[in-house]
Coordinates of all heavy atoms in Angstrom, one line a residue:
M1 N 15.5 -38.5 32.6 CA 16.8 -38.4 31.8 C 16.6 -38.9 30.4 O 17.0 -38.3 29.4 CB 17.9 -39.2 32.5 CG 18.7 -38.4 33.6 SD 19.0 -36.7 33.0 CE 20.4 -36.4 34.1
R2 N 15.9 -40.1 30.3 CA 15.7 -40.7 29.0 C 14.8 -39.7 28.1 O 15.1 -39.5 26.9 CB 14.9 -42.0 29.2 CG 14.6 -42.7 27.9 CD 14.1 -44.1 28.1 NE 15.1 -44.9 28.7 CZ 15.2 -46.2 28.5 NH1 14.2 -46.8 27.8 NH2 16.1 -47.0 29.0
H3 N 13.9 -39.1 28.8 CA 13.0 -38.1 28.0 C 13.8 -37.0 27.5 O 13.7 -36.6 26.3 CB 11.9 -37.6 28.9 CG 11.0 -36.6 28.2 ND1 10.1 -36.9 27.3 CD2 11.0 -35.3 28.4 CE1 9.5 -35.8 26.9 NE2 10.1 -34.8 27.5
F4 N 14.7 -36.4 28.3 CA 15.6 -35.3 27.8 C 16.4 -35.7 26.6 O 16.5 -35.0 25.6 CB 16.5 -34.9 29.0 CG 17.5 -33.8 28.5 CD1 17.1 -32.5 28.4 CD2 18.8 -34.2 28.2 CE1 18.0 -31.5 28.0 CE2 19.7 -33.2 27.8 CZ 19.2 -31.9 27.7
G5 N 17.0 -36.9 26.7 CA 17.8 -37.4 25.6 C 17.0 -37.5 24.3 O 17.5 -37.1 23.2
L6 N 15.8 -37.9 24.3 CA 14.9 -38.1 23.2 C 14.6 -36.7 22.5 O 14.8 -36.5 21.4 CB 13.6 -38.8 23.5 CG 13.6 -40.3 23.4 CD1 12.3 -40.9 23.9 CD2 13.9 -40.7 22.0
S7 N 14.2 -35.7 23.4 CA 13.8 -34.4 22.9 C 15.0 -33.7 22.3 O 14.9 -33.0 21.3 CB 13.1 -33.6 23.9 OG 14.0 -33.3 25.0
H8 N 16.2 -33.9 22.9 CA 17.4 -33.3 22.5 C 17.8 -33.8 21.1 O 18.1 -33.0 20.2 CB 18.6 -33.5 23.4 CG 19.8 -32.9 23.0 ND1 20.0 -31.5 23.0 CD2 21.0 -33.4 22.6 CE1 21.2 -31.2 22.6 NE2 21.8 -32.3 22.4
R9 N 17.6 -35.1 20.9 CA 17.9 -35.7 19.6 C 17.0 -35.1 18.5 O 17.4 -34.8 17.4 CB 17.8 -37.2 19.7 CG 18.7 -37.9 18.6 CD 18.5 -39.4 18.6 NE 18.8 -39.9 20.0 CZ 18.4 -41.1 20.4 NH1 17.7 -41.9 19.6 NH2 18.8 -41.5 21.6
R10 N 15.7 -35.0 18.9 CA 14.7 -34.5 17.9 C 15.1 -33.0 17.5 O 15.0 -32.6 16.4 CB 13.3 -34.6 18.5 CG 12.3 -34.5 17.3 CD 10.9 -34.9 17.8 NE 10.5 -34.0 18.9 CZ 9.3 -34.1 19.5 NH1 8.5 -35.1 19.1 NH2 8.9 -33.3 20.4
T11 N 15.5 -32.2 18.5 CA 15.9 -30.8 18.2 C 17.0 -30.8 17.2 O 17.0 -30.0 16.3 CB 16.3 -30.1 19.5 OG1 15.2 -30.3 20.5 CG2 16.5 -28.7 19.3
L12 N 18.0 -31.7 17.4 CA 19.1 -31.7 16.5 C 18.6 -32.1 15.1 O 19.1 -31.4 14.1 CB 20.1 -32.8 16.9 CG 21.2 -32.3 17.8 CD1 22.1 -33.5 18.2 CD2 22.1 -31.2 17.1
A13 N 17.7 -33.0 14.9 CA 17.2 -33.4 13.6 C 16.5 -32.3 13.0 O 16.7 -32.0 11.8 CB 16.3 -34.6 13.8
V14 N 15.7 -31.5 13.7 CA 15.0 -30.4 13.1 C 16.0 -29.3 12.7 O 15.9 -28.8 11.6 CB 14.0 -29.8 14.2 CG1 13.5 -28.5 13.7 CG2 12.9 -30.8 14.4
A15 N 17.0 -29.1 13.5 CA 18.0 -28.0 13.1 C 18.8 -28.5 11.9 O 19.0 -27.6 11.0 CB 19.0 -27.9 14.3
T16 N 19.1 -29.7 11.7 CA 19.8 -30.2 10.6 C 18.9 -30.0 9.3 O 19.4 -29.6 8.3 CB 20.2 -31.7 10.7 OG1 20.9 -31.8 12.0 CG2 21.1 -32.1 9.6
S17 N 17.7 -30.4 9.4 CA 16.8 -30.3 8.2 C 16.6 -28.8 7.8 O 16.4 -28.5 6.7 CB 15.5 -31.0 8.5 OG 14.7 -30.3 9.5
C18 N 16.6 -27.9 8.8 CA 16.5 -26.5 8.5 C 17.7 -26.0 7.8 O 17.6 -25.2 6.8 CB 16.3 -25.7 9.8 SG 14.7 -25.7 10.5
M19 N 18.9 -26.5 8.2 CA 20.1 -26.1 7.5 C 20.1 -26.5 6.1 O 20.5 -25.8 5.2 CB 21.3 -26.6 8.2 CG 21.8 -25.7 9.4 SD 22.8 -26.6 10.5 CE 24.2 -27.1 9.5
I20 N 19.6 -27.7 5.8 CA 19.6 -28.3 4.5 C 18.6 -27.4 3.6 O 18.9 -27.1 2.5 CB 19.2 -29.7 4.5 CG1 20.3 -30.6 5.1 CG2 18.9 -30.2 3.0 CD1 19.9 -32.0 5.5
A21 N 17.4 -27.1 4.2 CA 16.4 -26.3 3.5 C 16.9 -24.9 3.2 O 16.5 -24.4 2.2 CB 15.1 -26.3 4.3
A22 N 17.8 -24.4 4.1 CA 18.2 -23.0 3.9 C 19.3 -22.9 2.8 O 19.7 -21.8 2.5 CB 18.7 -22.4 5.2
Q23 N 19.9 -24.0 2.4 CA 21.0 -24.0 1.5 C 20.6 -24.7 0.2 O 20.9 -25.9 0.1 CB 22.2 -24.6 2.1 CG 22.7 -23.7 3.2 CD 23.9 -24.4 3.9 OE1 24.1 -25.6 3.8 NE2 24.6 -23.6 4.7
P24 N 19.9 -24.1 -0.8 CA 19.6 -24.8 -2.0 C 20.9 -25.1 -2.8 O 21.8 -24.3 -2.8 CB 18.8 -23.7 -2.8 CG 19.1 -22.4 -2.1 CD 19.5 -22.7 -0.7
R25 N 20.9 -26.2 -3.4 CA 22.2 -26.7 -4.0 C 22.5 -25.9 -5.3 O 23.7 -25.7 -5.6 CB 22.1 -28.2 -4.4 CG 22.7 -29.1 -3.4 CD 22.3 -30.5 -3.6 NE 20.9 -30.8 -3.2 CZ 20.3 -31.9 -3.4 NH1 20.9 -32.8 -4.1 NH2 19.0 -32.0 -3.1
S26 N 21.5 -25.4 -6.0 CA 21.8 -24.7 -7.3 C 21.0 -23.4 -7.4 O 20.2 -23.0 -6.5 CB 21.4 -25.6 -8.4 OG 20.0 -25.9 -8.4
A27 N 21.2 -22.7 -8.4 CA 20.4 -21.5 -8.8 C 20.6 -20.4 -7.7 O 19.7 -20.2 -6.9 CB 19.0 -21.8 -9.0
S28 N 21.6 -19.6 -7.8 CA 21.8 -18.4 -6.9 C 20.7 -17.4 -7.2 O 20.3 -16.7 -6.3 CB 23.1 -17.8 -7.1 OG 23.3 -17.3 -8.4
Q29 N 20.2 -17.4 -8.4 CA 19.1 -16.5 -8.7 C 17.8 -16.8 -7.9 O 17.2 -15.9 -7.4 CB 18.7 -16.6 -10.2 CG 18.2 -15.3 -10.8 CD 18.0 -15.5 -12.3 OE1 18.2 -16.5 -12.9 NE2 17.5 -14.4 -12.9
A30 N 17.6 -18.1 -7.7 CA 16.4 -18.5 -7.0 C 16.5 -18.1 -5.5 O 15.6 -17.6 -4.9 CB 16.2 -20.0 -7.1
S31 N 17.7 -18.2 -4.9 CA 17.9 -17.9 -3.5 C 17.9 -16.4 -3.3 O 17.5 -15.9 -2.3 CB 19.2 -18.5 -3.0 OG 20.3 -17.9 -3.6
E32 N 18.3 -15.6 -4.4 CA 18.3 -14.2 -4.3 C 16.8 -13.7 -4.2 O 16.4 -12.9 -3.5 CB 18.9 -13.6 -5.6 CG 20.0 -12.6 -5.2 CD 20.8 -12.3 -6.5 OE1 20.2 -11.5 -7.3 OE2 21.9 -12.7 -6.7
L33 N 16.0 -14.4 -5.1 CA 14.6 -14.1 -5.1 C 13.9 -14.4 -3.7 O 13.2 -13.6 -3.2 CB 13.9 -14.9 -6.2 CG 12.5 -14.4 -6.7 CD1 12.7 -13.2 -7.6 CD2 11.8 -15.5 -7.4
E34 N 14.3 -15.5 -3.2 CA 13.8 -16.0 -1.9 C 14.2 -15.0 -0.8 O 13.4 -14.7 0.0 CB 14.4 -17.4 -1.6 CG 13.9 -18.0 -0.3 CD 12.4 -18.3 -0.4 OE1 11.8 -18.4 -1.5 OE2 11.8 -18.4 0.7
S35 N 15.4 -14.5 -0.8 CA 15.8 -13.6 0.3 C 15.1 -12.3 0.2 O 14.8 -11.6 1.2 CB 17.3 -13.5 0.3 OG 17.8 -12.8 -0.9
S36 N 14.9 -11.8 -1.1 CA 14.2 -10.5 -1.2 C 12.7 -10.7 -0.8 O 12.1 -9.8 -0.3 CB 14.3 -10.0 -2.6 OG 13.5 -10.8 -3.5
R37 N 12.2 -11.9 -1.0 CA 10.8 -12.2 -0.6 C 10.7 -12.2 0.9 O 9.8 -11.7 1.5 CB 10.3 -13.5 -1.2 CG 8.9 -13.6 -1.5 CD 8.6 -14.7 -2.4 NE 9.0 -16.0 -1.8 CZ 8.2 -16.7 -1.0 NH1 7.0 -16.3 -0.8 NH2 8.7 -17.8 -0.5
Q38 N 11.8 -12.8 1.5 CA 11.8 -12.9 3.0 C 11.9 -11.6 3.7 O 11.5 -11.4 4.8 CB 12.9 -13.9 3.4 CG 12.5 -15.3 3.4 CD 13.6 -16.3 3.8 OE1 14.7 -15.8 4.0 NE2 13.3 -17.5 3.8
S39 N 12.6 -10.6 3.0 CA 12.8 -9.3 3.6 C 11.5 -8.6 3.8 O 11.4 -7.7 4.6 CB 13.8 -8.5 2.8 OG 13.2 -8.2 1.6
W40 N 10.5 -9.0 3.0 CA 9.1 -8.4 3.1 C 8.2 -9.2 4.0 O 7.1 -8.9 4.2 CB 8.5 -8.2 1.7 CG 9.1 -7.2 0.9 CD1 9.8 -7.3 -0.2 CD2 9.0 -5.7 1.2 NE1 10.2 -6.1 -0.7 CE2 9.8 -5.1 0.2 CE3 8.4 -5.0 2.2 CZ2 9.9 -3.7 0.1 CZ3 8.6 -3.6 2.1 CH2 9.3 -3.0 1.1
Q41 N 8.7 -10.3 4.5 CA 7.9 -11.2 5.3 C 7.7 -10.7 6.7 O 8.7 -10.2 7.3 CB 8.5 -12.6 5.3 CG 7.6 -13.7 5.9 CD 8.3 -15.0 5.8 OE1 9.4 -15.2 6.2 NE2 7.6 -16.0 5.3
C42 N 6.5 -10.7 7.2 CA 6.3 -10.3 8.6 C 7.1 -11.2 9.6 O 7.0 -12.4 9.5 CB 4.8 -10.4 8.9 SG 4.4 -10.0 10.6
K43 N 7.8 -10.5 10.5 CA 8.7 -11.3 11.4 C 7.9 -11.8 12.6 O 8.5 -12.6 13.4 CB 9.8 -10.4 11.9 CG 10.7 -9.8 10.8 CD 11.6 -10.9 10.2 CE 12.6 -10.4 9.2 NZ 12.0 -9.7 8.1
I44 N 6.6 -11.5 12.7 CA 5.8 -12.0 13.8 C 5.1 -13.2 13.4 O 5.1 -14.2 14.1 CB 4.8 -10.9 14.2 CG1 5.5 -9.5 14.4 CG2 4.2 -11.3 15.5 CD1 6.7 -9.5 15.3
C45 N 4.4 -13.2 12.3 CA 3.5 -14.3 11.9 C 4.1 -15.2 10.8 O 3.7 -16.3 10.5 CB 2.1 -13.9 11.5 SG 2.1 -12.8 10.1
F46 N 5.1 -14.6 10.0 CA 5.7 -15.3 8.9 C 4.7 -15.8 7.9 O 5.0 -16.7 7.1 CB 6.6 -16.5 9.4 CG 7.7 -16.0 10.2 CD1 7.7 -16.1 11.6 CD2 8.9 -15.5 9.7 CE1 8.7 -15.7 12.4 CE2 9.9 -15.1 10.4 CZ 9.9 -15.2 11.8
A47 N 3.5 -15.2 7.9 CA 2.5 -15.6 7.0 C 2.1 -14.5 6.0 O 1.6 -14.8 4.9 CB 1.3 -16.1 7.7
R48 N 2.3 -13.3 6.3 CA 1.9 -12.2 5.4 C 3.1 -11.3 5.1 O 4.1 -11.3 5.8 CB 0.8 -11.3 6.1 CG -0.4 -12.1 6.4 CD -1.3 -11.3 7.4 NE -1.5 -9.9 6.9 CZ -2.6 -9.5 6.3 NH1 -3.6 -10.3 6.1 NH2 -2.7 -8.2 5.9
E49 N 3.0 -10.5 4.1 CA 4.0 -9.5 3.8 C 3.8 -8.3 4.7 O 2.6 -8.0 5.1 CB 4.0 -9.1 2.3 CG 4.5 -10.1 1.4 CD 4.8 -9.6 0.0 OE1 4.4 -8.4 -0.3 OE2 5.3 -10.4 -0.8
V50 N 4.9 -7.6 5.0 CA 4.7 -6.4 5.9 C 4.0 -5.3 5.1 O 4.2 -5.1 3.9 CB 6.1 -5.8 6.3 CG1 6.7 -6.8 7.3 CG2 7.0 -5.6 5.2
D51 N 3.0 -4.6 5.8 CA 2.4 -3.5 5.2 C 2.1 -2.4 6.2 O 1.2 -1.6 6.0 CB 1.1 -3.9 4.3 CG 0.3 -4.9 5.1 OD1 0.5 -5.1 6.3 OD2 -0.6 -5.5 4.5
A52 N 2.8 -2.5 7.3 CA 2.7 -1.4 8.3 C 4.0 -1.3 9.0 O 4.8 -2.2 9.0 CB 1.6 -1.8 9.4
G53 N 4.3 -0.1 9.5 CA 5.6 0.1 10.1 C 5.5 1.1 11.3 O 4.6 1.8 11.4
F54 N 6.5 1.0 12.2 CA 6.6 1.9 13.3 C 7.4 3.2 12.9 O 8.5 3.0 12.4 CB 7.2 1.2 14.5 CG 6.4 0.2 15.1 CD1 6.4 -1.1 14.7 CD2 5.5 0.5 16.1 CE1 5.6 -2.1 15.2 CE2 4.6 -0.4 16.7 CZ 4.7 -1.7 16.2
A55 N 6.8 4.3 13.1 CA 7.4 5.6 12.6 C 8.7 5.9 13.4 O 9.6 6.4 12.8 CB 6.4 6.7 12.7
G56 N 8.7 5.5 14.6 CA 9.9 5.9 15.5 C 11.1 5.1 15.2 O 12.2 5.6 15.2
C57 N 11.0 3.8 14.9 CA 12.2 2.9 14.7 C 12.3 2.4 13.3 O 13.4 1.9 12.9 CB 12.2 1.8 15.8 SG 10.8 0.7 15.6
G58 N 11.2 2.3 12.6 CA 11.3 1.9 11.2 C 11.1 0.4 11.0 O 11.1 -0.1 9.9
H59 N 10.9 -0.4 12.1 CA 10.6 -1.8 12.0 C 9.2 -2.0 11.4 O 8.3 -1.2 11.6 CB 10.7 -2.5 13.4 CG 12.1 -2.6 13.9 ND1 12.5 -2.1 15.1 CD2 13.2 -3.2 13.3 CE1 13.9 -2.4 15.2 NE2 14.3 -3.0 14.1
M60 N 9.1 -3.1 10.6 CA 7.9 -3.4 9.9 C 7.2 -4.7 10.3 O 7.9 -5.6 10.6 CB 8.2 -3.4 8.4 CG 8.8 -2.1 7.9 SD 9.0 -2.1 6.1 CE 10.4 -3.3 6.0
V61 N 5.9 -4.6 10.3 CA 5.1 -5.8 10.6 C 3.9 -5.8 9.6 O 3.8 -4.8 8.9 CB 4.6 -5.8 12.0 CG1 5.7 -6.0 13.0 CG2 3.8 -4.6 12.3
C62 N 3.1 -6.8 9.6 CA 1.9 -6.8 8.8 C 0.8 -6.1 9.6 O 0.8 -6.1 10.8 CB 1.5 -8.2 8.3 SG 0.8 -9.3 9.6
V63 N -0.3 -5.7 8.9 CA -1.3 -5.0 9.6 C -2.1 -5.9 10.6 O -2.6 -5.4 11.6 CB -2.4 -4.3 8.6 CG1 -1.8 -3.1 8.0 CG2 -2.8 -5.3 7.6
A64 N -2.2 -7.2 10.2 CA -2.9 -8.1 11.1 C -2.2 -8.2 12.5 O -2.8 -8.2 13.5 CB -2.9 -9.5 10.5
C65 N -0.8 -8.2 12.5 CA -0.1 -8.3 13.7 C -0.1 -6.9 14.4 O -0.2 -6.8 15.6 CB 1.4 -8.7 13.5 SG 1.5 -10.4 12.9
A66 N 0.0 -5.9 13.6 CA 0.1 -4.5 14.1 C -1.2 -4.2 14.9 O -1.1 -3.4 15.9 CB 0.3 -3.5 13.0
A67 N -2.3 -4.8 14.5 CA -3.6 -4.5 15.2 C -3.5 -4.8 16.7 O -4.2 -4.1 17.5 CB -4.7 -5.2 14.5
G68 N -2.7 -5.8 17.1 CA -2.6 -6.2 18.5 C -1.4 -5.6 19.2 O -1.2 -6.1 20.3
L69 N -0.7 -4.7 18.6 CA 0.5 -4.2 19.2 C 0.4 -2.7 19.6 O -0.3 -2.0 18.9 CB 1.7 -4.3 18.2 CG 2.0 -5.7 17.8 CD1 3.0 -5.7 16.6 CD2 2.7 -6.5 18.9
D70 N 1.0 -2.4 20.7 CA 1.0 -1.0 21.1 C 2.5 -0.5 21.1 O 2.8 0.7 21.3 CB 0.4 -0.7 22.4 CG 1.0 -1.4 23.5 OD1 1.8 -2.4 23.3 OD2 0.9 -1.0 24.7
K71 N 3.4 -1.4 20.8 CA 4.8 -1.0 20.7 C 5.5 -2.0 19.8 O 5.0 -3.1 19.5 CB 5.5 -0.9 22.1 CG 5.5 -2.3 22.8 CD 6.0 -2.1 24.2 CE 5.9 -3.4 25.0 NZ 6.1 -3.2 26.4
C72 N 6.7 -1.6 19.3 CA 7.5 -2.4 18.4 C 7.9 -3.8 19.0 O 8.5 -3.8 20.1 CB 8.7 -1.7 17.9 SG 9.7 -2.7 16.8
P73 N 7.6 -4.9 18.4 CA 7.9 -6.2 19.0 C 9.4 -6.5 18.8 O 9.9 -7.4 19.4 CB 7.1 -7.2 18.2 CG 6.8 -6.5 16.9 CD 6.8 -5.0 17.2
V74 N 10.1 -5.8 17.9 CA 11.5 -6.0 17.6 C 12.4 -5.3 18.7 O 13.2 -5.9 19.3 CB 11.9 -5.6 16.2 CG1 13.3 -5.9 15.9 CG2 11.0 -6.2 15.2
C75 N 12.2 -4.0 18.8 CA 13.0 -3.2 19.8 C 12.2 -2.7 21.0 O 12.8 -2.0 21.8 CB 13.7 -2.1 19.0 SG 12.5 -0.9 18.4
R76 N 10.9 -3.0 21.0 CA 10.0 -2.6 22.1 C 10.0 -1.1 22.3 O 9.7 -0.6 23.4 CB 10.5 -3.3 23.4 CG 10.6 -4.8 23.2 CD 10.6 -5.5 24.5 NE 10.8 -6.9 24.3 CZ 9.8 -7.8 23.9 NH1 8.6 -7.3 23.7 NH2 10.1 -9.0 23.7
K77 N 10.2 -0.3 21.3 CA 10.1 1.1 21.3 C 8.6 1.5 21.0 O 8.0 0.9 20.1 CB 11.0 1.8 20.3 CG 11.0 3.3 20.3 CD 12.2 3.8 19.4 CE 12.1 5.2 19.2 NZ 13.2 5.8 18.5
R78 N 8.1 2.4 21.8 CA 6.7 2.8 21.6 C 6.7 3.9 20.6 O 7.3 5.0 20.8 CB 6.2 3.3 22.9 CG 4.7 2.9 23.1 CD 4.3 3.3 24.6 NE 4.5 2.2 25.5 CZ 3.5 1.4 25.8 NH1 2.3 1.5 25.2 NH2 3.7 0.4 26.6
S79 N 6.0 3.7 19.5 CA 5.8 4.8 18.5 C 4.6 4.6 17.6 O 4.0 3.5 17.7 CB 7.1 4.9 17.6 OG 7.3 3.7 16.9
A80 N 4.3 5.6 16.8 CA 3.1 5.5 16.0 C 3.2 4.5 14.9 O 4.3 4.4 14.3 CB 2.8 6.9 15.4
L81 N 2.2 3.8 14.6 CA 2.2 2.9 13.5 C 1.7 3.6 12.2 O 0.7 4.4 12.2 CB 1.2 1.7 13.8 CG 1.8 0.4 14.2 CD1 0.7 -0.5 14.7 CD2 2.5 -0.3 13.1
I82 N 2.4 3.4 11.1 CA 1.9 3.9 9.9 C 1.7 2.8 8.9 O 2.3 1.8 8.9 CB 3.0 4.9 9.3 CG1 4.4 4.3 9.2 CG2 3.0 6.2 10.1 CD1 5.4 5.1 8.4
R83 N 0.8 3.1 8.0 CA 0.5 2.1 6.9 C 1.5 2.3 5.8 O 1.9 3.4 5.4 CB -0.9 2.4 6.4 CG -1.5 1.4 5.4 CD -1.7 0.0 6.1 NE -1.6 -1.0 5.1 CZ -2.6 -1.5 4.3 NH1 -3.8 -1.0 4.4 NH2 -2.3 -2.4 3.4
L84 N 2.0 1.1 5.3 CA 3.0 1.2 4.2 C 2.4 0.8 2.9 O 1.6 -0.1 2.8 CB 4.2 0.3 4.6 CG 5.0 0.6 5.8 CD1 6.0 -0.6 6.0 CD2 5.7 1.9 5.7
Y85 N 2.8 1.5 1.9 CA 2.4 1.1 0.5 C 3.6 0.9 -0.4 O 4.5 1.8 -0.4 CB 1.4 2.2 -0.1 CG 0.2 2.4 0.8 CD1 0.2 3.4 1.8 CD2 -0.9 1.6 0.6 CE1 -1.0 3.6 2.5 CE2 -2.0 1.8 1.4 CZ -2.1 2.8 2.4 OH -3.2 3.0 3.1
K86 N 3.6 -0.2 -1.1 CA 4.8 -0.5 -1.9 C 4.5 0.0 -3.4 O 3.4 -0.1 -3.8 CB 5.1 -2.0 -1.9 CG 5.6 -2.4 -0.6 CD 6.3 -3.8 -0.6 CE 5.3 -4.9 -0.9 NZ 5.0 -5.7 0.3
Ligands
LIG101 ZN1 2.3 -10.6 10.8
LIG102 ZN1 11.5 -1.3 16.4

């Protein structure tokens, strides 16, 4: 019981710090830039920009993640992967 209470409290602390990080106090321009950058971020590894996509559903991942996938990780639809060029 004591262990559960500790881990629960830590989860709360992490969630709170995430909320603070997600809300910059100033510069709407900076957050706009950040959100446009995030829209290109791979939703699987969060480390690379997307440069591959599933032809059937249009969801995008990076080529490093796409290499190990045979279907879309977002909607689980099976379709051909295509390379994306910006
Ligand atoms: Zn990735
Ligand atoms: Zn999909």
Side-chain angles (χ1 to χ4, degrees):
M1 270 322 202
R2 180 173 291 211
H3 176 74
F4 174 80
L6 271 175
S7 66
H8 182 66
R9 202 182 306 160
R10 197 169 62 180
T11 306
L12 267 178
V14 168
T16 309
S17 67
C18 281
M19 273 162 60
I20 292 165
Q23 294 173 343
R25 262 168 288 172
S26 61
S28 62
Q29 209 176 0
S31 68
E32 237 171 71
L33 199 78
E34 182 66 21
S35 68
S36 74
R37 213 165 57 90
Q38 277 179 355
S39 69
W40 287 112
Q41 193 177 47
C42 174
K43 301 291 190 294
I44 313 304
C45 63
F46 296 99
R48 296 165 54 99
E49 288 194 353
V50 292
D51 45 12
F54 289 88
C57 61
H59 286 123
M60 297 183 293
V61 294
C62 72
V63 284
C65 292
L69 297 169
D70 63 340
K71 61 189 175 195
C72 175
V74 182
C75 65
R76 308 199 183 279
K77 185 171 168 172
R78 216 174 266 268
S79 60
L81 259 169
I82 53 169
R83 186 69 207 273
L84 298 174
Y85 299 95
K86 293 196 288 256

